[in-house]
Amino acid sequence: MNMQDSHEDETRLLAFLQDEWRRYSPAQLRRGVWVSSHEAIVCELGSERADPMAQPLQRAWWVDWDSIQPRPPQSFKVFCDYLTVGRAQEPHPIGWSSFAPFPQAPFYFVDNFRGPLDGDGWRVRVSAGGVEVLEKLWVS
């Protein structure tokens, strides 16, 4: 996948995730949610070991109802560190989504976290027509 394709996929994924947050958690989106992009997942499609957050962070965005704004990746890391200091089971006033490509383009793994026991992960395909959810890989 070349750099142009990667940027176009990223743009489509961000718009798709903003729409998903609008539909399923509008209150969180009005406050804002984090979205992070990670390096490619090293395991094969369908592997239960797939985890975007386990891959090195590349980029981060702050997404709200009206905009998608790039943010320094370090800002997203600070948010993640805040959650890991004894707060993982508390309600999440701020949700987040993460995505990473599988080695087989144009497939991506997407995670969404709305709260400690409210989230899901999908395998999606990105094309010029948009983002298609192919399968739900996990749900909480």
Side-chain angles (χ1 to χ4, degrees), residues 1-10 101-108 126:
M1 179 181 313
N2 66 40
M3 192 62 105
Q4 177 70 23
D5 290 342
S6 176
H7 178 70
E8 289 172 4
D9 284 1
E10 202 170 75
F102 279 106
Q104 306 85 354
F107 299 101
Y108 287 80
V126 179

Side-chain angles (χ1 to χ4, degrees), residues 106-128:
F107 299 101
Y108 287 80
F109 191 114
V110 176
D111 277 336
N112 296 298
F113 298 94
R114 293 169 292 278
L117 296 175
D118 184 8
D120 47 25
W122 314 319
R123 181 173 62 95
V124 302
R125 176 179 29 226
V126 179
S127 67

Side-chain angles (χ1 to χ4, degrees), residues 12-65:
R12 288 182 183 107
L13 280 162
L14 288 166
F16 168 78
L17 289 169
Q18 186 182 42
D19 287 344
E20 288 294 307
W21 281 98
R22 277 186 182 127
R23 271 196 291 280
Y24 297 108
S25 195
Q28 280 185 318
L29 186 61
R30 283 187 182 89
R31 284 189 296 270
V33 298
W34 281 105
V35 176
S36 61
S37 167
H38 298 264
E39 289 183 14
I41 292 172
V42 294
C43 59
E44 296 301 312
L45 283 174
S47 170
E48 293 181 17
R49 296 184 327 245
D51 179 4
M53 293 285 288
Q55 306 309 313
L57 177 64
Q58 290 184 317
R59 282 176 286 294
W61 298 266
W62 182 251
V63 178
D64 62 25
W65 197 266

